[in-house]
Amino acid sequence: QVQLVESGGGSVQAGGSLRLSCTAPGFTSKNCGMDWYRQTEGEGRDWVASIRPDGTTTYADSVKGRFTATHDKTQDTMYLQMTSLKPEDTAMYSCATPRRCTYCNADGVCHLSAAGFWGRGTKVTVSS
């Protein structure tokens, strides 16, 4: 099964920056984009940003101009660069592929997820 892994979270002061990474160890995506979400305790999950296979990006209004989603195709790693962080950005951040995304391993075994593949998240804490 494909398990996305996020990293790069941590604690920063307001105004600081972090870069989150999302990979699928052992697998390579086949023309998949990526969505980023965040969730605070007791709250629902909110969509943050998306990057499509062609590199097109969209962002939630709350992060537009501060967050940038990119895809390093040479390493098949997705990134979410976060700048000018605010205390209200504090949350657990997760990456998830769109539906019907395919990942294949080196042996050519491929997995198609109807609901998308998800990571477990990385914690971001922004202090004032």
Side-chain angles (χ1 to χ4, degrees):
Q1 184 57 281
V2 178
Q3 177 69 60
L4 301 183
V5 178
E6 302 94 340
S7 62
S11 297
V12 296
Q13 290 191 324
S17 300
L18 285 172
R19 188 178 74 162
L20 307 184
S21 302
C22 176
T23 62
F27 292 89
T28 301
S29 64
K30 295 302 181 183
N31 203 32
C32 294
M34 190 66 69
D35 301 320
W36 290 91
Y37 295 86
R38 65 187 182 187
Q39 185 170 17
T40 56
E41 285 193 33
E43 300 289 334
R45 183 185 291 134
D46 294 323
W47 169 77
V48 174
S50 294
I51 182 167
R52 299 277 70 84
D54 64 359
T56 302
T57 54
T58 52
Y59 302 94
D61 287 343
S62 59
V63 307
K64 198 172 294 182
R66 300 187 298 121
F67 290 13
T68 304
T70 58
H71 180 199
D72 183 341
K73 294 186 177 181
T74 62
Q75 299 188 15
D76 201 22
T77 299
M78 300 287 187
Y79 295 101
L80 184 66
Q81 179 70 49
M82 306 186 297
T83 63
S84 302
L85 283 163
K86 305 175 181 180
E88 52 264 41
D89 293 320
T90 295
M92 181 72 77
Y93 285 72
S94 300
C95 57
T97 65
R99 296 177 181 180
R100 302 193 64 77
C101 183
T102 299
Y103 275 72
C104 301
N105 63 20
D107 294 328
V109 177
C110 297
H111 298 269
L112 170 66
S113 172
F117 299 112
W118 284 80
R120 293 195 174 96
T122 184
K123 178 69 173 174
V124 171
T125 302
V126 185
S127 58
S128 57

